[in-house]
Amino acid sequence: MFIRYVGSMKSWILLFMMLLGLTDLLILLDKGIYVQTSSIVYLNALFLLSFTAFFLWRYRKETKYAAALAALAEEMNDDWIEALPVAETVRDEITGEALRAADLLFRRKLSECKMAHLIENDYTASWVHEAKAPLTAMKLTIDANRSDPAMRKIEAEWLRIYLLIDRQLYMTRLPSLESDYVLEAAAIQRLAAKEVRELASWCVEKNLAVEFEGEDAEVVTDSKWCRFMIRQVLTNAVKYSPGGGTIVISTETAKAGHVILSIKDEGPGIPAHDLPRIFDKGFTGGNGRLQNAATGLGLYLAQTVAAKIGITLEAQSEPGKGTVMRMMFTAKNDFESIRTGLLP
């Protein structure tokens, strides 16, 4: 900071050196003034010493406010405006007023953005609910005419539309997940079985078999959001599985008491260079581009929900050997423990 301060004050330093030089020149050229050389040196040293002391004093005084702002920036929090240092100069007061005005403008713009976002979310949620009404009517028509072979194809396409609309509804609810979070004991394989039934028509269309392995286990989680996660993972498994393949859903309990739900498909697998990015928003990877049906949202949303409700979501895959998605539930839900203050 000292070097920057010196740079900002170089005009004043130059002015002082010019005045000192003019004083020395006047003494040397004026024949009516006789001063010994040693006295001129002493006078210059005295001026330089006085100026240095004055400069250091002003440096400490004028940079105190800036140093406090720099320290505040390193530990920035929501109420930083209340922690602004006390201004000691007019320049500091102007800086403080500018910061307060900027903070007020930022908060106003943020409030407007939040309001616009809420209106957009409400509109989207309303649209989704309105769209579900004709979908429900279509489903009733499909169920009433199952003897017609064409209905199987229609049902598969209906399912894709339903999944997209349902995912959009969950996306609008995601920012307020904490207020919609309800813990309960649930049998994890039973939750997975419900999602398999939802995707049954798609599995039939691709002639996919779904097998369950291991004993069912009880976990403590939010059933609705947990099913949403399973749905995203299972949808990916169905999408990339080859016709006539098998999806295996297995359950195991680790030594630490963690329950692990694994969903394994026989798809093309994920290249090693793509594996670290599959949970990134919008990432589709090579397989997604080949399928031309990936949005890059399913696994991103699943990972986002997992992080919010205390579930660990991992992927294991090799090209040509399928993919295994593992959901690990802690013996005691960490999210709820933190929220209720049971953990430090």
Side-chain angles (χ1 to χ4, degrees):
M1 182 178 289
F2 182 76
I3 300 300
R4 294 172 63 184
Y5 180 77
V6 171
S8 67
M9 300 299 292
K10 60 184 178 182
S11 59
W12 289 94
I13 297 174
L14 182 60
L15 176 62
F16 171 79
M17 299 303 296
M18 289 177 59
L19 291 176
L20 184 59
L22 286 174
T23 302
D24 292 341
L25 187 62
L26 178 62
I27 293 174
L28 292 175
L29 296 180
D30 193 341
K31 301 299 184 179
I33 302 176
Y34 174 73
V35 180
Q36 294 183 356
T37 304
S38 59
S39 298
I40 295 176
V41 172
Y42 175 76
L43 178 65
N44 280 265
L46 184 61
F47 278 167
L48 287 172
L49 183 62
S50 300
F51 177 77
T52 302
F54 175 79
F55 187 85
L56 292 176
W57 171 67
R58 293 305 302 175
Y59 164 73
R60 294 190 62 181
K61 185 176 182 63
E62 294 183 14
T63 60
K64 183 179 179 181
Y65 190 82
L69 287 181
L72 181 62
E74 293 180 358
E75 300 180 359
M76 189 71 72
N77 49 44
D78 293 338
D79 59 345
W80 66 273
I81 199 69
E82 303 297 331
L84 282 178
V86 178
E88 296 189 6
T89 65
V90 175
R91 185 188 303 172
D92 296 344
E93 290 178 0
I94 294 174
T95 302
E97 291 173 0
L99 288 173
R100 290 183 178 87
D103 178 70
L104 184 61
L105 178 62
F106 171 77
R107 291 178 184 275
R108 187 183 300 119
K109 292 293 184 182
L110 182 61
S111 178
E112 292 174 358
C113 288
K114 285 183 176 180
M115 182 60 66
H117 184 66
L118 287 174
I119 293 174
E120 182 181 354
N121 278 354
D122 290 342
Y123 172 79
T124 303
S126 175
W127 178 86
V128 169
H129 284 295
E130 291 293 332
K132 277 191 170 184
L135 283 176
T136 302
M138 289 172 62
K139 180 62 172 172
L140 293 174
T141 303
I142 292 171
D143 291 340
N145 297 274
R146 287 195 175 276
S147 57
D148 188 346
M151 285 299 170
R152 292 183 179 179
K153 181 64 177 177
I154 294 175
E155 184 176 16
E157 298 303 323
W158 172 89
L159 178 60
R160 291 185 177 92
I161 297 174
Y162 174 81
L163 291 175
L164 288 173
I165 291 178
D166 188 66
R167 185 173 68 183
Q168 185 63 45
L169 180 61
Y170 274 90
M171 287 176 64
T172 60
R173 292 173 176 172
L174 191 57
S176 59
L177 183 150
E178 288 79 1
S179 61
D180 189 36
Y181 185 79
V182 179
L183 272 183
E184 57 184 343
I188 189 60
Q189 279 198 9
R190 195 171 300 172
L191 294 181
K194 291 179 180 179
E195 293 306 315
V196 171
R197 284 194 291 272
E198 291 284 344
L199 302 177
S201 60
W202 196 0
C203 293
V204 170
E205 181 192 23
K206 297 189 69 174
N207 193 27
L208 295 177
V210 180
E211 298 179 356
F212 285 85
E213 294 182 354
E215 296 182 0
D216 203 353
E218 190 175 86
V219 297
V220 178
T221 188
D222 182 285
S223 297
K224 183 177 71 174
W225 285 101
C226 183
R227 284 187 59 180
F228 174 75
M229 284 182 57
I230 296 173
R231 188 180 313 151
Q232 303 312 305
V233 175
L234 197 56
T235 299
N236 260 31
V238 174
K239 182 186 300 181
Y240 293 110
S241 290
T246 302
I247 297 173
V248 179
I249 301 176
S250 58
T251 308
E252 60 178 304
T253 303
K255 292 181 180 179
H258 304 320
V259 175
I260 300 174
L261 177 72
S262 301
I263 300 178
K264 183 179 186 303
D265 63 55
E266 297 177 347
I270 304 170
H273 62 273
D274 281 350
L275 198 57
R277 302 173 59 194
I278 62 173
F279 296 114
D280 293 347
K281 185 177 182 180
F283 180 76
T284 57
N287 295 328
R289 295 187 185 94
L290 290 175
Q291 292 275 351
N292 198 29
T295 61
L297 288 176
L299 292 182
Y300 162 75
L301 292 172
Q303 183 69 288
T304 302
V305 173
K308 285 178 173 287
I309 66 176
I311 298 174
T312 302
L313 181 61
E314 300 174 338
Q316 296 177 350
S317 183
E318 293 182 27
K321 296 185 179 180
T323 302
V324 180
M325 301 297 297
R326 292 158 53 91
M327 298 170 56
M328 185 173 71
F329 300 79
T330 54
K332 186 176 184 179
N333 190 278
D334 289 341
F335 175 81
E336 182 64 15
S337 297
I338 295 172
R339 198 173 69 160
T340 56
L342 299 180
L343 289 180

